Structure formats: C-alpha cells, structure tokens
Amino acid sequence: MSTDCNLTAAHPRGTAHHHPLVARGFTPDGATYRRGDLQFAIGGGWCRLRETAGQQPDFPWPPSPAPVALWKWVRNGPAAERVFEVPSWAVREEPDDDRFDADDRVALGLCLDWALATRSGRVPESWRPPARELVESWLPPGALTVQTDGLVRQGEMILQPDCWTMRIPLLPELPARLPETRAHALRELTRDAQSLWGMLRLALTESTGSRALFAEVDLSGAPPSEVLFAAGLDVLRQAAVRLIETAEALADDSLPLASLTIHR
Amino acid sequence: MRTMEPDTLTVAPPRPPSLRFRATDVTGTMEMDVEDVQDSVPAGAVARTLAQRMELPTNVPWALRDDRGAFLVDDRQIGGQIEPGATVTLTPKTHLG
C-alpha cells in the first residue's frame, strides 16, 4: 500500500478517490467501495474492480461473453472471479477530476468509466482508438520484440475501430495434439500467469487449423494515455520474457520433462 | 476465425506466420534448420537468438548474411529480407572492420 501514490483505502471518505467513486454509484464499505456486485479496492499497487458474484471453481471454458479491455478471470483462493485492474501509479485521483491529458496519469473517474463500459464484453460504439502515429511515438524501438534463452518472439499492436491491443505470441504455433499432461500444465501456466500479472490476459486463437497462444494487454475502450500504455507494455514484456521458455518447453513433446510425470 | 480457451481475442488476426530457413555459423561447422521464427522478427534479434542457440558468445554483436553475402538490416523484419528456405550465415560484427 505504501506504493500507492497517496492512495489509501483505510478511510475512504477522507480520500480523493471517494468522490469519483461515489459519483458513479459506489458506496463505502469498510476499506472498499461497492456498487451492486462490484467491489472496488486499492492495494498492492493496483486499483482493482472485482465482481463478487459469478465466482466459479476455475476459469470458465471458454468464457462467455469474451472479455474485453482489462477484464479477465483470475484465481482468487479456491475460486475464480472477474477483475479489472490498473496500476495505481498510473491513476490520478483528484476530487471531481475527469479531465484528460494523454501525457498524464488517467483520472480515476475515467478508469472507472472505462471499466464499467466494457464490463459486458463490448467496447462502446462511441470509442475510437488513438491515432496510430501517436501510439507508435510512445513505443520504443524494438519494444515488441522479446528475446530470451535462444527464443525470439515478435509482438504486435492492433489498432482497429473497436480494438487497441498489444500482444506477444508465447507459442506462435501450438501443436495440434499435445499429451494431456502437457496440455494440462500449459493451461495451468496460462491461468497462473493471468492471475499473477495485472493487466495481462492470455489468449489462445485458432486460424486455418493452427493455434497460437498469446500474452496480451487489451486497452480497447481506454483513454489514450501514454502512462497507461507504458504500464501495459511493461507488463506484457515482463510476462512474455518469463513465460516463453516454459511455454515452449511444455509444448515440445520431444523434450522430456520429469516434473510432468510426478503428477500422473 | 474461431477463438478458444482460456480467454479469447475475437478480433485477433491469424497467427503470426513463421519462416523456415537454414542457419550456419561463420565457420560452417554449425548448421541448424530454423522453423520457429516469425517472419516479422527483426533480423538483429534473430541473429542474437541464433547465437544463443549455437552457444556462441553473447557478448559479441552478431549479424546475418544471406546466401549472396549481403548483410541483413538489423532492424528490418527478416521475412522481408530472405526467402523461405534460404541459408543465412551468422557473422560476428567485429569482423566487419
């Protein structure tokens, strides 16, 4: 909590984030805020909205509706739940402040609006992605290239009328058939990764018979904030560097992995 | 496109295409077939990756030469610089003078 940039959840009414939350129908509830089955809390460096209803034993498979923006399923103790998380250092919380400046942190109220608008799995029709030239000016050269341990991956940024996503393939080509132990381990890896890294989501896509596993940060519907973009890019790169080798090993059936036989 | 587990990206374009080519070190003693490199990866990153795979020193800057001897441009996509099935040579940049 000490890294939360003047954010404290101990006394909600006395904090700056009280006003944007109350203005959007949230009411104080101890150290958190609630609106229906949504709970807002700050901690560990993150502003987090979580759905307190609809928890399941583990990730639904496949999710329906498909999540957009930063909504995702995470494991929380014995159950899985949907959350929306933004790093608190990327959030500016001043009372009644909804102004927007692309070079600045994002007002908490705008983050809340973004989360609430995309909760249903759709990006508001009125939203438009930022100009490609602007976003590319925020992207350091080579930032979407990840190289680790003899493996290299090229990520991409997708900008479409209803989509603003950065993604890096962990497995550009997932084998069509994997032994169940490896498939299980890979699923566990993706679920744990999605739960551990804020903003990060894992996506498995299929096209023309081939499958690929991606790490992604989906800013669809977001205000075009450089700070938020940089935070997402950092998460994406950090996660990809740490996941690529393990994912590659799990997907390579010719590579003996003794640890997989233990749980058989 | 059909999307699958665990969380889906419905707008995602098809998977990144990979490029198949053969790589050798500058002495010709090491050869490897490369099948898992996306064609959108910059050639410089491919060179560093291949150096690691061949267990060559990583404190040396590496470059790739195509089978006609031309050096690939580090920050350009490798897929735009070689054809599938090409042979590239991993060369230490320190030898360039």
Side-chain angles (χ1 to χ4, degrees), chain A residues 44-58:
Chain A
W46 295 88
C47 297
R48 181 175 294 110
L49 273 171
R50 55 183 287 258
E51 293 183 343
T52 57
Q55 292 178 328
Q56 303 194 24
D58 212 334

Side-chain angles (χ1 to χ4, degrees), chain A residues 130-139 157 159:
Chain A
R132 178 169 291 276
E133 298 75 25
L134 175 65
V135 183
E136 286 181 345
S137 73
W138 297 339
L139 196 62
M157 183 172 59
L159 273 173

Side-chain angles (χ1 to χ4, degrees), chain A residues 61 150 154 194 204 206 210, chain B residues 1 4-5 7 15 53:
Chain A
W61 200 271
Q154 180 60 43
Q194 185 162 299
L204 188 60
E206 181 168 322
S210 294
Chain B
M1 181 179 67
M4 297 179 62
E5 62 192 40
D7 276 355
R15 67 176 177 81
R53 289 186 188 180

Side-chain angles (χ1 to χ4, degrees), chain A residues 61 63 66 145 147 149-154 158 160 163 167 169 172 194 201-204 206-207 210 214 216, chain B residues 1-16 18 36-38 40-42 45 48-49 52-53:
Chain A
W61 200 271
T145 304
Q147 195 229 336
D149 297 319
L151 300 168
V152 64
R153 300 287 188 263
Q154 180 60 43
I158 303 169
Q160 296 175 350
C163 177
R167 66 180 196 174
Q194 185 162 299
R201 200 163 60 209
L202 278 292
L204 188 60
E206 181 168 322
S207 174
S210 294
F214 290 90
E216 66 181 19
Chain B
M1 181 179 67
R2 189 162 64 88
T3 55
M4 297 179 62
E5 62 192 40
D7 276 355
T8 56
L9 180 65
T10 54
V11 295
R15 67 176 177 81
S18 58
D36 64 340
V37 170
Q38 300 161 251
S40 55
V41 177
R48 290 190 293 276
T49 303
Q52 281 193 307
R53 289 186 188 180

Side-chain angles (χ1 to χ4, degrees), chain B residues 10-28:
Chain B
T10 54
V11 295
R15 67 176 177 81
S18 58
L19 187 67
R20 296 185 179 206
F21 59 93
R22 169 158 287 211
T24 70
D25 71 343
V26 72
T27 66

Side-chain angles (χ1 to χ4, degrees), chain B residues 2 5-6 12 28 32 35 41 44 49 53 57 60 62 66 69 71 74-75 81 87:
Chain B
R2 189 162 64 88
E5 62 192 40
M32 63 173 54
E35 300 181 346
V41 177
T49 303
R53 289 186 188 180
V60 173
W62 296 95
D66 66 16
F71 283 93
D74 275 356
D75 57 2
Q81 302 188 70
T87 296

